[in-house]
Amino acid sequence: MSDAQGVRFAQEDGKMQTDRPEATKPARLAVLVSGSGSNLQALIDALESQQLPGAQIVLVVSNKADAYGLQRALKHRLPALYLPWKQRAQSEQQLVALLRLFEVDLIVLAGWMRIFSAEFIEQFPRRIINLHPALIPDDGSGATFTSSDGSIIPVFRGMHAARQALEAGVKITGSTVHYVTPEVDAGPMLCRQEVPILTGDTEDKLQERIKQVEHSLIVEAVQLWMRTA
Ligand code: GRF
């Protein structure tokens, strides 16, 4: 379903669409959120301050009607949609239709709390990236990660990664932007940054410090993706 770099968009008729006659047209981003959307805001700010030339957000989708991310999008006059997520297969079909209608090149999961089916993911090879608040190895796989100081820590996947890091008593955690593959939080890494765990950290404090790092990491990830796509 993809070329050597896996960057082509599968079409319903099975033919490949040559994606963005490369870098001549702006990369069209859809940002998917479920909550506060501070990382969506970071992308909006980067776009508005010309830090992401060649990109534009064409669609924001939330599976929660009251997600603040939708308000952020509307404030900046971006198309923002609430897509109820009761039955995954049906919702995924609706989302695929929307992504095609808006001719989306890159799907950015920024605090999106729903797991996609393998069938959905396979329709967008190397075109879905996810921000995960923990350190994930380069190829995404494995149960441990070796940090820059040489310490070997568990890979915290799934929900409450900051809490998992605190409970494990590790001294370092971080955030990773990775390609989305059917295995949750286990796709190849695009970029990543470490965050030290400080004495007296609570889950909220640590999560907040991770988010501060994420706000530049997500911008860097989109820049990197545009360079390789
Ligand atoms: C981020 O910490 C991200 O890593 C995780 O969900 C959080 C989203 O935060 N997947 P926000 O909605 O962007 O503020």
Side-chain angles (χ1 to χ4, degrees):
M1 301 291 282
S2 64
D3 65 3
Q5 289 188 304
V7 291
R8 291 188 184 215
F9 208 46
Q11 295 185 129
E12 272 164 19
D13 59 6
K15 289 185 194 143
M16 304 313 290
Q17 170 188 323
T18 306
D19 45 31
R20 323 191 281 126
E22 300 309 340
T24 57
K25 282 198 205 153
R28 299 170 63 82
L29 315 186
V31 184
L32 275 51
V33 301
S34 298
S36 128
S38 68
N39 285 284
L40 163 67
Q41 188 68 55
L43 286 170
I44 294 173
D45 293 346
L47 285 161
E48 291 186 351
S49 61
Q50 319 301 326
Q51 284 174 63
L52 266 178
Q56 62 183 129
I57 296 174
V58 296
L59 179 63
V60 174
V61 176
S62 169
N63 65 307
K64 293 256 174 74
D66 59 354
Y68 187 57
L70 288 176
Q71 300 305 317
R72 294 183 193 267
L74 291 172
K75 252 189 219 165
H76 292 265
R77 298 179 183 279
L78 297 171
L81 294 171
Y82 159 51
L83 180 61
W85 208 266
K86 295 218 169 74
Q87 275 189 301
R88 183 169 77 174
Q90 192 189 17
S91 303
E92 285 185 344
Q93 254 183 26
Q94 291 169 333
L95 183 56
V96 169
L98 281 169
L99 295 167
R100 294 198 189 289
L101 183 67
F102 283 81
E103 300 184 332
V104 167
D105 295 309
L106 175 66
I107 304 159
V108 181
L109 309 185
W112 173 257
M113 301 301 283
R114 287 291 173 269
I115 293 172
F116 289 123
S117 67
E119 293 72 31
F120 176 89
I121 294 166
E122 280 156 12
Q123 292 184 70
F124 305 100
R126 292 236 157 194
R127 287 181 174 271
I128 315 175
I129 61 174
N130 178 49
L131 182 60
H132 181 66
L135 298 168
I136 295 176
D138 292 5
D139 67 357
S141 69
T144 58
F145 176 87
T146 306
S147 66
S148 56
D149 70 359
S151 44
I152 296 173
I153 59 171
V155 177
F156 305 111
R157 296 192 172 88
M159 302 276 284
H160 309 298
R163 186 190 305 171
Q164 292 182 52
L166 285 172
E167 285 173 357
V170 296
K171 297 275 167 283
I172 209 148
T173 185
S175 183
T176 306
V177 180
H178 64 92
Y179 288 103
V180 172
T181 56
E183 207 182 324
V184 176
D185 301 328
M189 188 259 330
L190 201 56
C191 56
R192 170 177 68 210
Q193 195 172 325
E194 295 182 355
V195 173
I197 295 181
L198 307 177
T199 314
D201 259 351
T202 59
E203 184 181 356
D204 284 353
K205 280 189 194 168
L206 179 57
Q207 180 62 46
E208 212 31 62
R209 278 211 321 290
I210 292 173
K211 273 199 192 187
Q212 292 309 314
V213 163
E214 291 183 322
H215 296 162
S216 46
L217 201 63
I218 193 69
V219 174
E220 187 188 335
V222 173
Q223 286 165 340
L224 282 169
W225 183 87
M226 286 196 296
R227 263 182 245 145
T228 54

